[in-house]
Amino acid sequence: MAQWGLCEQDALCVEVEGDGMHPTLCDGDIMLVDRGNAWPPEDGVYLICLEGVVLLKRLQNLPGQKLRLTSDHPAYEPFEMNRQDFQCTDQTRILGRVIWSGHGL
């Protein structure tokens, strides 16, 4: 974990469920999430909680304090949110940045 500058207490291993980030992350893949690298978000793939639902999304910073949330799978439409919406409630927050993923052979 030191190679990513990751502290043990910030590390979280999570199994991917669903196809929203396919082909980057596939159902059943294991990902390493850095919970200490959640705010402010840089462009990248994040584990988020949106209105109480945990999702994987690619976040892109936009002008005007906005974020574009995108799935890599083309069946899911991107949408935009205000950055401050992620700081207002426990039901909507950035849980951490995905820094590694792997899968079985």
Side-chain angles (χ1 to χ4, degrees):
M1 285 190 275
Q3 69 192 34
W4 295 295
L6 180 62
C7 299
E8 261 186 65
Q9 66 267 20
D10 291 334
L12 178 66
C13 283
V14 180
E15 183 176 343
V16 175
E17 294 181 13
D19 65 353
M21 289 303 291
H22 181 80
T24 307
L25 298 166
C26 300
D27 190 55
D29 284 356
I30 302 297
M31 59 186 172
L32 180 60
V33 177
D34 181 356
R35 295 183 297 172
N37 189 8
W39 195 263
E42 299 174 6
D43 292 359
V45 177
Y46 287 81
L47 187 65
I48 66 170
C49 182
L50 187 58
E51 297 178 358
V53 178
V54 177
L55 302 168
L56 273 172
K57 292 290 181 185
R58 186 173 299 280
L59 302 185
Q60 178 186 6
N61 286 286
L62 299 173
Q65 296 296 307
K66 298 228 182 236
L67 289 171
R68 175 174 289 133
L69 290 78
T70 308
S71 296
D72 286 358
H73 195 296
Y76 302 96
E77 292 290 325
F79 58 96
E80 294 179 9
M81 291 183 67
N82 293 316
R83 284 173 60 115
Q84 68 260 21
D85 291 343
F86 283 101
Q87 297 177 297
C88 296
T89 173
D90 283 341
Q91 292 295 308
T92 300
R93 67 185 190 279
I94 297 173
L95 302 172
R97 184 176 184 161
V98 177
I99 59 171
W100 178 89
S101 68
H103 57 271
L105 298 176

